Amino acid sequence: MSSTNASATSSPSNPATVTGASLAHGLSQIFFQKNVWTGLLILAAFVVADWQMALLVAIGTVVSTTVGYLMRAGSDNVALGMQGFNGALLGAAVFTAMGGQGWSYLATVVGAALCGPVTWFFGWLFARPALARFSLPSTTAPFCTVAGIVYAATTSLHESGSDQHFTDGTGESVLRSLLTNVSEVVLVNSVWAGGLILLGLFIASWQVGLAAAMGSVIGSLCALALGESSETIAEGLAGYSGVLTAIALAVVFLRSSTASWIYGAVGAAVTAVVTLLMNDATSFPHYTWPYILTTWVLLVVAAYVPVLRRP
């Protein structure tokens, strides 16, 4: 798994680093993993949703990875997939707003290309003296930033009645949220897609798979306790950010320990509250901002807790 900042450089990039493996890693890095099989299962999850969505995701991954190479992000950084995951998510976000129309492809290419410089900016920002000590990752903030801009700029092109997340309409049980929480990380509402992604996470690491399951359960239970509607919970819209927070704090950005797992569980619960507040505050898509903001704050707090150590 990779816990490095997406803007870190190790050596000058070379064309040989932009390979099928690095593109697959770009998909798996959505969940902080460097694993080809995980990446392929995530791509399969997109195919389950819609083949055009999967195509836009693939285009976004290729474009953002290539831009990262051109910006000399570093061979190791590109090979790890650290330049690809924001572009992949950007392609998914464009599809949810605009569908598979022709303009979606242009929006994906432009948006994915912008992810490169925005990723660089966050890396530069967190390297400033005041923040450097906390080693904050840019994580999916570049995607959220660019996707928000693209969403606002393409309002007239949005499909009538389009949802902020793709849904397959399978089942209406709250139990389905345990898998849709996982799939909604990539803007897909599907138990089948969630199952494929969770399988991929367990293939990458049993700890990562378990952390994802923990975050999903906590997210759904907290949403229930907070009075969120059963429909929102079942669709995974209340718990998806908690999945990422749990993985990030339990096993990725903190050294795995009993303390980090407890911290990850607390983080998932806090993320559920932040998600609810953002859901109530605006209908504008907030993507994974609840996870990002919660994780940044808790990583700063963790710097003052001796038992919580960085890898």
Side-chain angles (χ1 to χ4, degrees), residues 80-92:
L80 280 169
M82 300 301 291
Q83 298 300 313
F85 66 94
N86 282 297
L89 287 170
L90 190 284

Side-chain angles (χ1 to χ4, degrees), residues 15-304:
T17 60
V18 183
T19 64
S22 65
L23 295 175
H25 294 158
L27 288 166
S28 66
Q29 284 290 355
I30 294 172
F31 293 88
F32 321 104
Q33 304 307 298
K34 178 197 171 188
N35 188 288
V36 170
W37 293 110
T38 302
L40 291 176
L41 283 169
I42 292 172
L43 182 61
F46 283 116
V47 174
V48 166
D50 188 285
W51 70 267
Q52 288 180 298
M53 186 181 200
L55 180 57
L56 289 173
V57 167
I59 291 172
T61 307
V62 171
V63 171
S64 60
T65 300
T66 302
V67 169
Y69 152 69
L70 293 174
M71 291 182 66
R72 299 175 65 82
S75 294
D76 291 345
N77 193 276
V78 174
L80 280 169
M82 300 301 291
Q83 298 300 313
F85 66 94
N86 282 297
L89 287 170
L90 190 284
V94 168
F95 180 84
T96 60
M98 300 170 60
Q101 60 175 294
W103 287 108
S104 298
Y105 294 87
L106 177 60
T108 296
V109 171
V110 173
L114 287 174
C115 284
V118 175
T119 296
W120 175 89
F121 168 77
F122 276 104
W124 172 86
L125 177 65
F126 292 144
R128 297 307 87 201
L131 296 174
R133 61 170 299 190
F134 301 114
S135 299
L136 297 178
S138 60
T139 187
T140 55
F143 149 66
C144 290
T145 301
V146 176
I149 295 172
V150 171
Y151 184 89
T154 61
T155 301
S156 62
L157 297 173
H158 292 179
E159 288 193 340
S160 178
S162 64
D163 207 36
Q164 292 178 7
H165 301 255
F166 180 87
T167 177
D168 65 357
T170 303
E172 295 299 336
S173 170
V174 173
L175 288 177
R176 98 185 222 106
S177 69
L178 301 182
L179 289 177
T180 56
N181 286 338
V182 177
S183 68
E184 278 289 358
V185 170
V186 296
L187 290 84
V188 173
N189 176 1
S190 167
V191 294
W192 301 107
L196 287 171
I197 294 171
L198 191 59
L199 173 61
L201 297 183
F202 273 105
I203 288 174
S205 165
W206 69 266
Q207 288 183 312
V208 171
L210 186 60
M214 177 183 75
S216 181
V217 171
I218 291 174
S220 292
L221 292 178
C222 287
L224 279 171
L226 292 168
E228 190 61 88
S229 70
S230 59
E231 180 181 0
T232 298
I233 295 172
E235 290 179 353
L237 297 176
Y240 68 94
S241 274
V243 171
L244 289 177
T245 303
I247 300 172
L249 297 179
V251 296
V252 175
F253 299 122
L254 295 174
R255 188 178 302 174
S256 181
S257 65
T258 300
S260 75
W261 279 80
I262 294 173
Y263 204 54
V266 172
V270 172
T271 304
V273 176
V274 175
T275 299
L276 179 61
L277 292 174
M278 295 188 77
N279 283 343
D280 290 342
T282 178
S283 60
F284 196 87
H286 45 70
Y287 305 113
T288 55
W289 277 119
Y291 141 69
I292 296 167
L293 297 175
T294 302
T295 298
W296 282 346
V297 170
L298 292 183
L299 285 177
V300 170
V301 172
Y304 299 97

